[in-house]
Amino acid sequence: MRVPLVIKWLTELDIDMGSEVSSLSKGNKQKVLLYLSLVGLPDVVFMDEPFTALDDKTIKVVLKRIAYLQSLGTCMIISTHEMKLFSKMDVIVHALD
């Protein structure tokens, strides 16, 4: 059952759970969107610059969630300029334009 996982992950956000999403800061909206995309334990995740507007603490937590999903076999396709954050992932493909 995913409910305990959802609750655990949401408590990591440091957001008042009674808040309307529209009233959140850009960084907190980004946190909510990232977690919504991950918490369903999808088979494939596409992310474009997922760390925009996030603080260092949140980036570390999100990287842990990404690593957890990857350990379950989730395919992660991530477009980012922050390549150093992904240096410990299983497969890295660098595409330069």
Side-chain angles (χ1 to χ4, degrees):
M1 181 163 219
R2 293 190 182 137
V3 172
L5 180 67
V6 171
I7 292 169
K8 179 181 181 216
W9 286 18
L10 288 176
T11 58
E12 295 174 339
L13 293 176
D14 294 328
I15 296 173
D16 176 11
M17 292 301 138
S19 301
E20 293 282 332
V21 174
S22 61
S23 70
L24 298 175
S25 68
K26 182 176 180 178
N28 283 342
K29 285 179 184 175
Q30 182 75 347
K31 289 179 191 181
V32 171
L33 290 172
L34 276 170
Y35 270 55
L36 287 175
S37 71
L38 301 177
V39 79
L41 306 178
D43 294 327
V44 179
V45 174
F46 294 88
M47 295 180 163
D48 182 26
E49 297 295 342
F51 303 117
T52 301
L54 297 182
D55 57 82
D56 291 339
K57 176 185 170 193
T58 303
I59 289 171
K60 287 178 185 176
V61 172
V62 171
L63 284 170
K64 282 175 41 181
R65 297 293 150 242
I66 289 172
Y68 171 71
L69 287 174
Q70 192 176 33
S71 76
L72 296 177
T74 301
C75 176
M76 308 293 296
I77 301 170
I78 302 168
S79 168
T80 184
H81 290 90
E82 303 287 338
M83 291 305 298
K84 66 183 180 291
L85 294 173
F86 295 96
S87 63
K88 295 181 181 169
M89 295 294 167
D90 287 343
V91 178
I92 300 290
V93 177
H94 296 271
L96 304 174
D97 56 354

